[in-house]
Structures are given as C-alpha cells and as structure tokens.
Amino acid sequence: MLTFDALWSLLDTWETHRWLRPLDGRFARFLAELDPQAAPELLLAAALASHQLGRGHPCLDLSTLAAGAALDHVLGLPPEGDSSPAPSLPPLWPWPAAESPLLAVVGRDDATRRESPLVRDGERLYLRRYWQYEQDVALALHQRAQPEHATLPALPDWLQQGQADGPSADWQQLACALALRGRLTLITGGPGTGKTTTVVRLLALLQSQALAAGQPARRIRLAAPTGKAAARLSESLGAACQRLAGVVSAEVLASIPPSVSTVHRLLGSRPDSRRFRHHRDAPLHADVVVIDEASMIDLEMMAAVLDALPASARLILLGDKDQLASVEAGAVLGQLCANAEQGGYSPAALAWLNAADRQQHDLSHFAADPARPAPPLADCTVMLRHSHRFDLHSGIGQLAQAVRDNQPADLKQVWQRHQDIERLALSGEHDAQLASFVLAGYRPVLSAVQHAPAASASDDDWHHWAADCLQQFARFQLLTALRRGPWGVEGLNQRVSTVLADAGLIDPRRDWYVGRPVILTRNDHALGLMNGDIGLTVADRQGQLRVIFAQAGQVRWISPLRLPDVDTVFAMTVHKSQGSEFDHAALILPDHPGPLLTRELVYTAITRAKTRFTLLEAQVGLLELAAQTVTRRESGLGDALLAHQQAPASCMPK
C-alpha cells in the first residue's frame, strides 16, 4: 500500500533527477488539495498521465503498470541522456476501489457531464481535456466521413492525363474520385508520390463542377503546420497549377488560391491563449480546407480544426503516415491511416473506385475483410503508391522503403548498390571525418554570405543575393535524433561552430554573427513568423546584422534584436526538420541506443533528402536497431472511431 509520504518522496526524487517535470508533481499535489481523501495510487497515476502527455501520449495505459515493471519503454524512464537504471513503480494494481470526485469512469459515470479532472476509459487514464479531444475528434470525423453521394459523377478526361501507373491503378485519379463521395478525404503516401499534384487536380475538379453547375467557385483555404511546410506547399501548388495550364480553363485555375497559411493563422490564433478566433460559433469562411503535412497535426490542433469547420465544408488531409508523429500529444494521421496500404474498402466504396478506374484494374484485394470490422475511415482514405521522385535507381527511395518495411537484408545491401547514399562510421565526438564533412556541407552557403553585393548595388541585386544565400542553405542540413548530449543539437551545434570558426568561415564570439542560421522556437505573431521558421544571419548594405527569411517567394529582412526566441541550427532535430527538404540531408546517430531511435525517426530523416543522403554513425548497427523499433503512442482514438462506426444510427449524438 502506497502512503502519502512515500508518494511525495518518490515524486520529489524523480523531479530532482529530471525524470518528471515539475508540472507533473505539482499536478498531483493540486489534485490532493482538491480531494484530500484521494488514494495515493490515483495521485501517482495522475502524475504519470501528465508525464506521458509531455511525451506525446494523450493517455496513460494502466494495464502496463504492473507491480515492479521496468519503465524504460513504458514511461521513457530514465529520460534521454540519463544512464541510471530504469526504475520500478510501487504497486498500482488493483486500482483503488474508493470513488473520488477527481475521477470519472466511462461506463460507470456520465463522463461527459462530470467536471472531474481525470477520466478513466477502459484501461486508459486521461487528463479530462485530452479525453474530450479524442471524443470530439472521433465524433466529428465519423460524421464527416458519411457518404453523401451514391453515384459517381462523370469525370473529365484531363483527370487521368499523364497519371498512368502502367499495370497498377492510378491512385491519384482514384483519390480524386473517392473524394467526391463525401466531406472527408485522407491522402497518404511517401515522398514523391504526388500528394500535391493529386490535391491540385482534386481542387480543379471541384471548381470545374461548381462552375459548370452555375454555382460560385468554392472558397478554398490551404494550410500546413509550419511556415516552412506552408512555403513548400505554396511552391508545389504553383508548379502543379502550371502543369494544368491549357488542360483546364483559366477560370478554374484562377479559382485555386496560391497562398498557403499555417494552421495557426488559418484558425486565428490568439497570443498567449489556447483559443482561436474561429470555432463552432464562429466557423471558417470556407467550403474546402486542405491541410498538408498532416502527420504533424497533434490531437488538440485536430480538435480545433474540426471545431472550426462549417458542417458543409470538405476537409482534405495530406501526409505521410510513416513519418514521425506530432511533437505534441497524439499521432492522429498515423492512426487514421494505419490500414491504408490494405485499403479495407466497403463494397459501396469499392464499386465507386471500380467505376472511376477506366483501365479496369483488379481492385478486389483492397476490399474489406468480411470476417473483421472494417477499418474506421477506410472509405475516405487513399494511399498513393508510386514514387515519381525516387526511381528504381534511387538509393534514397530504396533505403527509405527498407527502413519503413524493416527489411534487414535490403538494409544491408542497399548501401553497396547506389551512389546517392553513403554510410560513415565515426570513431568518436572529435572524429576528423565529421569536421571535414560539415566543412564541405556548410562552406558554400557561408562563402555566399561573405560575398555580399556592393553597398551601391541595386535593391534587386541585394534581393537576388539574399535569395541565393537561402537557397544555398537549403542544400545541406545535419540532422540528429537527440536534443541534449554530445550527439544532440546542443553539442553538435557547438562542435560545428568551432569547426567553422577554425576554418575562418564564421566568427561566433558574439551571440549574433554573419552566417549564423537560426530556427524560431515559438510563434511570433507580431512578425508573422512561426515556430520552426528558419532564417540566416547576414549583413545588409549598411553593414547591420539582419536575419533573412523566405516567405511566399519573397525575402524578409529582420533585425536579430526582434528575435529573442531562436536557436542556432547548423544541426537540427529530425522532428524540427519535418515539412522541410534538403538537397543533401545527413543523419548523425549517437553512440548508444535509446527510446528516441525509432523506425519513424530514421524514415523521416531519410525522406528529407532530395538528391543525397548520408548516415553518420557513432555506433554501427543503430540504424538496423531503429528500423525494428516502432513508435507507439498510447491513444483511444481508434477505439472511439470504431465505437461510433459500430453504434446504431439511433444511438449517435445529434
């Protein structure tokens, strides 16, 4: 039996070792003030649920907390960089029988009406807000996923032009067709599979239908989670629209907006608030909302998006289900698209796809298994399967596939067959190979920065020079799995700065210097910059330091004094790299395994590279180990969706 003295001592010890956040312990103590009679086991579980939330899990899986269980994989304890042995928990099972006003139990209480800070749903313990997010998201997606049309309308010939995949079905065309059934479409696929091309064709299809029917063009809003991802989507949209020029009418193309905002800007974020200007009572003015890089959307943000959507609006989510999940709690896209490869289509959806496939491919193996419940949202989901970026001769594509599918034999052989990937073994932190490597990677951009135009040069000359510097910086990026330690961003940025300074390429004796690349660590609404935006420090024509950012095809010049919340970014975490692409991406792995080294992390790093990928290993074999380790986010979203799917219509909330 756990006593209060033992509980507070345990929490204090874990906080001292930075195993738990101070927030987690304060949360338990706050609950004890609300209910002095609460069982210590309940308070400990609440602290652990808060801890799990900080690790990206919306809930705590109670079934894993067996007495004496090692918690390195369950709770990530000890944390990154701590070599202490994994702890054991005091017995938490059986669960305290006494009721508490702190806890609502689904099935025993009306959890939706109680104001308890904790909710237990089956074997999952939630902080109420996140349980409510899951319920809201599941219900909204279920309602939006209901088919609105039973018959496929006529499709224009241009929808399939240039899209044939040979013997395989044209999933880009099929995605457009399936989207016409209802108000929810999930399009997933790896890099180069044509997600942006598909969505542009879909938007052109929707607009052409509206205009042909004498209706006004649909109001379309485009968004991505970060400023970088928004900029990339904007560029890709422009290129995809150009490819449709002469195929569809100029009126249709003009009705597809060229601008892409961040999701925060789309919803109307309020400084220092979790609330947005757009919500259920003040919905978005939109008929179609498209969100790219949806794997980065966390549970809370998805709930906000769905809350702000008008009931009649279409939602289109694009992303790679195999990439890293969001930094914040949840792995929404990955859970929604978990069965996308198998399809799992209902007879009605499969008949719809067969009607859209003019080449009449055999799609029967994508039908739902009648012996099993159909995957939730399967009829709204399409996986694009053919990469147009990586051909059979691409090592990057084959390496990414081998990691994604955990194919040890392919992982071993792929390095020997291709010239666009390389693998370097490092002997330690100060390996000369690493120094030579980063010098070769960053010398071009730092040389460009140092060769600014003359002060008397035109504004156009200065603009072109700044744009070229930003393009040069996008050609190479060092990625790492960790934040702390010699192999994390902190240690690597310091080491890279030293190497570049010794070569005379930078002068980092002050906080700000010419050539310093920075990444924003929080949103700055006053400047119109968002968390994850990357800038490069240069000297302007007056010799004053400025940080340049690429936004909507333009270059913005901002004083570093206005950018207090930035980090140096010669090296960045793989998480921060999501939504970005680099000509040459290099992943450096540490000298020991850890819970952060997962299949999704390595896959995401590899797919940041467009033409060249380098793996630098402080311990050989960690790549293969990571490929075997799948990220697991504790969540009840899938179960909630399945419950709505199986519930009789008469039982559904109105």
Side-chain angles (χ1 to χ4, degrees):
M1 183 97 179
L2 183 63
T3 65
F4 280 102
D5 287 343
L7 169 65
W8 304 133
S9 177
L10 178 68
L11 293 180
D12 287 341
T13 299
W14 285 9
E15 287 179 38
T16 300
H17 287 84
R18 301 176 68 179
W19 288 15
L20 293 184
R21 303 170 299 173
L23 174 66
D24 306 325
R26 287 198 296 267
F27 180 58
R29 288 174 169 83
F30 171 70
L31 295 181
E33 294 176 2
L34 293 180
D35 180 17
Q37 305 303 315
E41 292 84 355
L42 177 60
L43 300 177
L44 176 56
L48 295 178
S50 175
H51 164 75
Q52 289 294 76
L53 192 60
R55 298 179 60 232
H57 302 275
C59 60
L60 172 69
D61 185 354
L62 296 170
S63 65
T64 62
L65 302 184
L71 301 180
D72 51 342
H73 293 294
V74 177
L75 297 176
L77 300 178
E80 174 193 322
D82 194 321
S83 58
S84 306
S88 296
L89 274 180
L92 287 180
W93 208 262
W95 189 261
E99 295 189 11
S100 169
L102 302 175
L103 179 69
V105 181
V106 176
R108 188 187 72 187
D109 309 307
D110 187 352
T112 61
R113 296 184 181 275
R114 287 190 57 178
E115 297 298 324
S116 60
L118 301 172
V119 175
R120 181 181 173 187
D121 194 343
E123 300 302 314
R124 302 183 180 99
L125 181 68
Y126 292 85
L127 276 64
R128 166 169 290 281
R129 186 154 50 91
Y130 283 85
W131 177 81
Q132 194 63 59
Y133 288 151
E134 278 194 359
Q135 300 304 308
D136 293 345
V137 168
L139 178 58
L141 289 175
H142 172 79
Q143 293 175 336
R144 198 167 291 278
Q146 302 310 301
E148 296 185 323
H149 306 285
T151 305
L152 178 70
L155 299 177
D157 293 337
W158 55 260
L159 193 62
Q160 60 180 348
Q161 289 184 3
Q163 301 260 336
D165 280 342
S168 303
D170 180 357
W171 285 101
Q172 294 187 21
Q173 179 194 353
L174 295 183
C176 295
L178 195 65
L180 299 179
R181 290 189 81 222
R183 295 170 294 145
L184 176 65
T185 307
L186 311 174
I187 301 175
T188 186
T193 52
K195 296 185 290 291
T196 305
T197 298
T198 301
V199 81
V200 166
R201 289 179 174 267
L202 173 56
L203 295 177
L205 177 62
L206 293 173
Q207 295 294 48
S208 62
Q209 287 182 334
L211 296 173
Q215 301 170 353
R218 291 179 169 91
R219 298 168 298 176
I220 298 172
R221 302 294 302 274
L222 307 167
T226 66
K228 188 72 173 179
R232 274 191 56 213
L233 177 59
S234 183
E235 294 172 2
S236 301
L237 284 169
C241 285
Q242 286 182 356
R243 290 193 294 271
L244 281 181
V247 179
V248 301
S249 71
E251 185 182 11
V252 168
L253 288 180
S255 67
I256 299 175
S259 61
V260 183
S261 72
T262 64
V263 178
H264 283 84
R265 292 189 187 116
L266 173 72
L267 297 178
S269 59
R270 301 173 183 266
D272 303 317
S273 172
R274 307 181 82 103
R275 297 180 62 84
F276 296 95
R277 289 196 302 273
H278 292 291
H279 46 77
R280 184 171 306 178
D281 298 323
L284 289 164
H285 300 292
D287 302 309
V288 182
V289 173
V290 178
I291 299 179
D292 194 22
E293 297 288 353
S295 62
M296 301 169 65
I297 302 289
D298 60 82
L299 180 63
E300 181 178 5
M301 183 60 69
M302 184 60 72
V305 168
L306 291 167
D307 190 54
L309 277 180
S312 59
R314 297 174 182 269
L315 176 63
I316 304 169
L317 300 178
L318 309 175
D320 187 347
K321 67 179 181 65
D322 297 310
Q323 283 191 26
L324 280 166
S326 57
V327 175
E328 303 299 329
V332 180
L333 186 73
Q335 291 167 342
L336 300 182
C337 300
N339 298 289
E341 289 185 68
Q342 291 76 33
Y345 297 115
S346 69
L350 198 63
W352 186 283
L353 291 172
N354 282 320
D357 182 21
R358 297 182 182 180
Q359 284 74 41
Q360 294 298 298
H361 296 90
D362 182 11
L363 303 177
S364 60
H365 48 293
F366 296 109
D369 185 347
R372 299 179 180 178
L377 309 184
D379 288 355
C380 307
T381 305
V382 174
M383 181 171 179
L384 306 182
R385 304 161 190 273
H386 178 72
S387 177
H388 301 272
R389 180 189 304 170
F390 304 128
D391 58 26
L392 295 174
H393 305 291
S394 164
I396 297 173
Q398 294 206 9
L399 178 62
Q401 184 176 338
V403 169
R404 184 195 67 191
D405 300 337
N406 187 24
Q407 298 292 332
D410 292 344
L411 273 177
K412 183 178 180 179
Q413 298 174 10
V414 68
W415 302 101
Q416 304 166 2
R417 297 197 301 256
H418 301 280
Q419 301 298 314
D420 58 337
I421 56 175
E422 61 180 333
R423 189 172 193 173
L424 302 177
L426 303 177
S427 59
E429 300 173 32
H430 304 288
D431 192 310
Q433 281 191 109
L434 179 59
S436 300
F437 184 78
V438 297
L439 271 174
Y442 287 119
R443 187 185 296 276
V445 61
L446 295 174
S447 296
V449 166
Q450 293 174 353
H451 290 82
S456 58
S458 68
D459 289 345
D460 283 347
D461 287 340
W462 277 89
H463 173 82
H464 291 313
W465 168 77
D468 179 66
C469 289
L470 289 170
Q471 289 175 1
Q472 288 281 358
F473 183 69
R475 289 175 181 169
F476 175 80
Q477 183 63 57
L478 187 64
L479 306 175
T480 177
L482 309 179
R483 294 185 297 274
R484 304 182 184 89
W487 302 106
V489 289
E490 296 174 358
L492 284 170
N493 276 314
Q494 184 175 0
R495 209 146 67 249
V496 171
S497 296
T498 300
V499 169
L500 298 176
D502 290 344
L505 294 172
I506 61 173
D507 183 7
R509 288 176 293 180
R510 298 183 178 180
D511 287 343
W512 288 98
Y513 53 87
V514 171
R516 182 192 179 193
V518 295
I519 185 169
L520 266 70
T521 57
R522 73 178 181 93
N523 299 334
D524 192 321
H525 299 275
L527 292 175
L529 297 173
M530 306 301 288
N531 184 9
D533 285 351
I534 295 174
L536 183 64
T537 310
V538 300
D540 64 13
R541 69 167 75 233
Q542 285 82 34
Q544 299 297 311
L545 291 182
R546 294 290 185 265
V547 185
I548 53 176
F549 294 87
Q551 280 193 341
Q554 302 296 314
V555 177
R556 294 189 62 191
W557 302 67
I558 298 175
S559 169
L561 299 178
R562 302 182 68 187
L563 300 171
D565 299 298
V566 296
D567 288 332
T568 301
V569 72
F570 287 116
M572 73 167 64
T573 62
V574 178
H575 274 95
K576 284 289 188 181
S577 75
Q578 291 190 99
S580 299
E581 286 184 339
F582 310 96
D583 290 348
H584 182 187
L587 173 64
I588 185 164
L589 295 180
D591 57 359
H592 62 277
L596 294 178
L597 296 182
T598 64
R599 180 184 304 172
E600 293 82 1
L601 181 135
V602 175
Y603 172 85
T604 301
I606 296 168
T607 54
R608 296 313 87 203
K610 292 194 290 185
T611 59
R612 185 182 174 193
F613 174 77
T614 302
L615 177 69
L616 300 103
E617 297 175 285
Q619 179 181 321
V620 176
L622 286 191
L623 174 71
E624 288 76 10
L625 183 63
Q628 301 172 27
T629 307
V630 179
T631 300
R632 180 183 176 187
R633 288 272 174 101
E634 301 297 343
S635 171
L637 179 59
D639 288 346
L641 279 165
L642 194 60
H644 286 306
Q645 179 174 285
Q646 296 175 339
S650 60
C651 299
M652 293 298 300
K654 303 294 184 183

